[in-house]
Amino acid sequence: MSTPLEQQTDEREALQSIYEGDDNFKEIDLTTYQYKYGEEDNYKSFLVELKWGENYPDEAPTINMNTFYNRNLLPAVKEEIQTALTTEASQWLGCGMTYTLFECLKDNLEQLTAGQPETAPTMAVVDDGVGALKISDVDADAKRKEPKKEQLTKSQKRRQWERTDHKGERARGWDWVDIVKHLSQTGSKEDAASLMDSAAASPVLHPLNT
C-alpha cells in the first residue's frame, strides 16, 4: 500500500501533466496549489488555494479562500465555496482529490457565485455640508478689520511738532486759534480779545530742524 508521501508524488506529476499550459493553475510549492476561476477584471472571479498536509490524501487538504485575489469576494460567497469544497473532499479521503476539487467548482460556478455582484457596489455620497464650512482665522479677521493708521506727510508732522513742547506734550494755547475763532462766532468780542492777549503772552516754541 502506498504511503501518503508516495501518493502525493504521483498526484503532483498528474496535476502538472493535466494543467500544463493552463494559466489558471499554479503550483506554489510541492504541497500548495491554486486555481483561478473567471477573468481578472470580472468581479465574480475568485481563487482557490489547496494545501496538502503530511497525511494527505488520508485527510482533506487545507482550503484557503482568504488570498488577496479574493479581496472583493463577499464573505457569504467565500463561505459557500468553502462549504462545497469541504463536502466534496469528505467523499474522497484516501484518494488524490485536488483535481476533483478544482473541477467540481467549475460545474457549480454560476450557482456558487449567484450572491456575488458583477460590479463593485456603488457608494452613495452624502453631502453633509461640511465642505461648505469655512474656518475663520480670528487673528487674520482682526487684522483685516483694524483701521489703518493715517500716514502723515512731512509738513503735517512739522505742524504737529510745532504744537508740542518737543517732548510729546502740547504747549499751552496750541488750540487757542480754534477757540478764538469759535468765540468770535458764538461769544462776545471782549472774550475773544482777552484770549488773544493771553496767547500772545505765551512763549513761542520753535520746531527742531529735520
Side-chain angles (χ1 to χ4, degrees):
M1 185 175 179
S2 300
T3 64
L5 184 58
E6 292 173 336
Q7 287 180 293
Q8 289 181 19
T9 301
D10 293 341
E11 186 174 3
R12 184 180 307 109
E13 293 175 355
L15 290 172
Q16 292 170 345
S17 177
I18 294 171
Y19 289 116
E20 183 179 3
D22 188 343
D23 294 335
N24 293 323
F25 174 81
K26 187 174 184 180
E27 181 179 347
I28 304 301
D29 54 41
L30 294 178
T31 59
T32 307
Y33 302 89
Q34 294 179 345
Y35 200 89
K36 181 180 66 178
Y37 300 84
E39 300 299 326
E40 289 194 18
D41 57 351
N42 190 323
Y43 210 67
K44 288 193 171 187
S45 178
F46 65 91
L47 182 146
V48 171
E49 181 178 276
L50 302 179
K51 185 174 181 61
W52 300 344
E54 292 182 0
N55 296 320
Y56 173 86
D58 291 339
E59 63 181 16
T62 300
I63 304 166
N64 181 17
M65 292 295 300
N66 294 321
T67 58
F68 180 75
Y69 187 89
N70 294 338
R71 63 192 180 280
N72 295 322
L73 206 61
L74 297 180
V77 176
K78 285 184 183 181
E79 185 177 352
E80 190 167 355
I81 294 171
Q82 185 145 357
T83 300
L85 288 171
T86 301
T87 301
E88 186 70 19
S90 65
Q91 302 177 32
W92 297 95
L93 294 178
C95 302
M97 66 182 81
T98 299
Y99 171 79
T100 303
L101 295 180
F102 283 156
E103 294 301 310
C104 81
L105 292 182
K106 291 182 181 180
D107 297 336
N108 300 283
L109 197 57
E110 186 174 345
Q111 177 184 347
L112 292 171
T113 59
Q116 177 71 12
E118 294 185 358
T119 57
T122 303
M123 300 297 292
V125 178
V126 179
D127 184 3
D128 56 3
V130 175
L133 294 178
K134 179 181 178 183
I135 299 176
S136 177
D137 187 335
V138 178
D139 293 336
D141 290 344
K143 290 179 181 178
R144 283 196 294 269
K145 294 178 181 178
E146 184 179 345
K148 293 183 178 179
K149 293 183 179 179
E150 183 181 356
Q151 298 295 324
L152 301 179
T153 62
K154 259 189 173 183
S155 60
Q156 289 173 325
K157 292 178 180 179
R158 181 183 297 276
R159 283 197 295 273
Q160 279 196 350
W161 181 261
E162 289 174 351
R163 293 179 180 181
T164 67
D165 59 357
H166 309 295
K167 295 181 181 179
E169 298 181 0
R170 299 183 187 276
R172 180 172 177 270
W174 68 273
D175 59 349
W176 284 358
V177 174
D178 293 334
I179 296 174
V180 170
K181 183 178 179 181
H182 177 70
L183 288 176
S184 66
Q185 294 175 353
T186 61
S188 64
K189 292 183 179 180
E190 290 78 4
D191 293 338
S194 175
L195 191 58
M196 287 295 293
D197 292 340
S198 298
S202 299
V204 178
L205 299 176
H206 297 284
L208 296 177
N209 294 327
T210 57

